[in-house]
Amino acid sequence: MSPSKRSDGVFVIAGPDTFLAEEALERLVEAAIGSDREDSLQVIRGEEQSWSRVLDAARTRSLFATRRAVVVRGAEGLKGPDDELAGYLDDPTPGVALIFMAVKPDKRRTAWKTLLAKAQQVTAEPLKGQRLRARVVDEVKRRQLRIDPQGVEEILERVGQDLRRLMGELDKLEAFGEGQKPLSAEDVAAVLGRGFARPFYLLGDALGERRTADVLALSQELMEDGEDPVKILGAMHRSLRQIRAVRALKAQKASREETAARIGLPPNMLFKLPSITEAASGWTDLELEAAVNALGRADRRVKTGSAAPVALTEAVAEACRKRGGEARSAWPTGR
């Protein structure tokens, strides 16, 4: 449906990321009524009200405010007849922003089909991969935080994709880093409360370069620092995926920029591409397959109760072992 057919002033914020949802809500409310909200803002709990009561609230005029916002939290819980909804969407109350918030709207219900077809929608789905990294980088710039590229990677490695927690950790780094030199990965690790354990990117580098002793030492250090063994295996697996992708892209004579984009390397981490490319030349496809399989077996063992240190040690030894059967001199020459 074209944007011109959307209902003016009716919005749906949908998705499980509460940080993004609240951020979107603040933008919509600010645009609708500004900062003076005492008589202009009405908040309704969906599980406590019906569709008709919500629409009545949206239609009600205020003696004290020319512009109003009606926010329905937990809108999945709305019950009762919805036969008035289509009429309201065709003729919404001027000057009223009606905002529905739902983690997962039930698109099988007639009311939600009608609402989603006409309302202006804002997604609050969790950010992942490059979108999450870009958001964190933008936030670092906005706050004028001085964090070096590997420090940013350390934040993402340690915190994961919980955007609310990421923003909280940036608050801590902002307080710590004021007036300081650019924060390194080790600085980030210390501020985030995990001591000075070596960061995950060093683990990936060591595996890519097949430095077995270093991989084992870093894995042990991370586990002693409280890191989840499954997360450690995941970091190793990601390193091997990058190596495999670089080999394939090198054979296709892909450009430096294309290779970086395809392996998920952000612009601020392009300096790592030469070392990843060099590491990739030390592997064969047969060895990569065997290494990935070894990590997969360790992952299953850890998740089914086996001792993590033993499973990781065996996996690392198997993954880093060199095999015959495929000449490394066949590494293709690309740009």
Side-chain angles (χ1 to χ4, degrees):
M1 183 172 292
S2 65
S4 62
K5 295 182 181 180
R6 297 286 179 180
S7 297
D8 290 336
V10 182
F11 306 88
V12 173
I13 302 173
D17 192 306
T18 58
F19 184 88
L20 288 176
E22 295 297 332
E23 191 176 58
L25 176 63
E26 177 58 29
R27 287 197 305 268
L28 292 176
V29 171
E30 178 66 26
I33 61 175
S35 57
D36 186 8
R37 303 175 184 182
E38 185 174 351
D39 298 312
S40 303
L41 178 63
Q42 181 177 359
V43 179
I44 295 172
R45 296 298 313 181
E47 65 272 16
E48 299 171 357
Q49 300 291 349
S50 64
W51 288 98
S52 60
R53 290 292 296 275
V54 168
L55 298 177
D56 285 344
R59 293 190 183 106
T60 301
R61 299 288 184 175
S62 172
L63 297 174
F64 307 101
T66 56
R67 297 186 300 163
R68 298 176 56 240
V70 177
V71 176
V72 186
R73 293 183 175 274
E76 307 99 315
L78 287 169
K79 299 177 177 65
D82 54 47
D83 47 297
E84 299 178 61
L85 179 60
Y88 182 88
L89 293 173
D90 288 336
D91 186 23
T93 305
V96 174
L98 177 55
I99 306 168
F100 296 88
M101 301 183 72
V103 173
K104 189 176 182 181
D106 188 348
K107 299 178 182 179
R108 298 168 299 178
R109 294 172 58 188
T110 302
W112 281 105
K113 288 180 182 178
T114 303
L115 183 57
L116 292 172
K118 299 297 291 289
Q120 300 173 61
Q121 297 180 44
V122 181
T123 182
E125 291 297 325
L127 301 179
K128 298 178 181 179
Q130 290 285 48
R131 291 180 63 212
L132 179 64
R133 179 178 283 104
R135 175 62 192 268
V136 171
V137 169
D138 287 346
E139 186 67 21
V140 167
K141 290 179 180 176
R142 187 188 69 79
R143 296 167 181 244
Q144 298 184 329
L145 263 170
R146 301 176 68 201
I147 304 177
D148 69 28
Q150 292 176 337
V152 172
E153 291 302 303
E154 180 66 6
I155 297 169
L156 291 165
E157 286 282 6
R158 286 187 175 271
V159 181
Q161 66 185 45
D162 185 332
L163 195 55
R164 184 177 297 280
R165 187 181 163 209
L166 278 166
M167 295 302 110
E169 299 298 351
L170 287 179
D171 289 342
K172 288 161 59 176
L173 290 168
E174 191 171 14
F176 175 84
E178 187 173 357
Q180 301 286 325
K181 62 180 178 60
L183 300 178
S184 67
E186 284 78 7
D187 294 329
V188 169
V191 175
L192 299 194
R194 293 296 189 91
F196 287 91
R198 250 88 67 84
F200 274 97
Y201 74 86
L202 292 179
L203 178 67
D205 291 348
L207 181 63
E209 296 166 13
R210 304 172 87 157
R211 292 184 274 114
T212 307
D214 289 342
V215 178
L216 290 172
L218 286 164
S219 299
Q220 182 63 32
E221 189 174 337
L222 286 164
M223 283 190 288
E224 290 175 355
D225 193 47
E227 293 292 355
D228 183 354
V230 172
K231 185 177 178 181
I232 296 171
L233 286 165
M236 293 187 202
H237 198 274
R238 182 166 59 253
S239 177
L240 293 181
R241 288 201 308 271
Q242 285 187 328
I243 294 287
R244 186 159 54 185
V246 165
R247 285 181 58 81
L249 291 164
K250 185 80 170 180
Q252 298 168 17
K253 298 186 177 180
S255 68
R256 178 174 177 265
E257 292 72 20
E258 181 183 358
T259 299
R262 293 279 293 275
I263 67 172
L265 205 61
N268 65 325
M269 297 293 287
L270 277 177
F271 68 89
K272 290 186 66 69
L273 186 58
S275 62
I276 295 173
T277 303
E278 182 179 354
S281 67
W283 292 82
T284 68
D285 292 339
L286 176 66
E287 289 169 339
L288 281 169
E289 181 180 3
V292 169
N293 289 338
L295 294 183
R297 288 193 296 271
D299 182 79
R300 290 190 294 273
R301 289 178 61 190
V302 170
K303 289 177 178 176
T304 54
S306 294
V310 175
L312 263 68
T313 298
E314 292 180 359
V316 169
E318 179 71 8
C320 292
R321 184 165 65 86
K322 294 190 176 183
R323 293 167 172 79
E326 188 177 334
R328 289 181 179 77
S329 59
W331 175 257
T333 301
R335 285 182 286 182

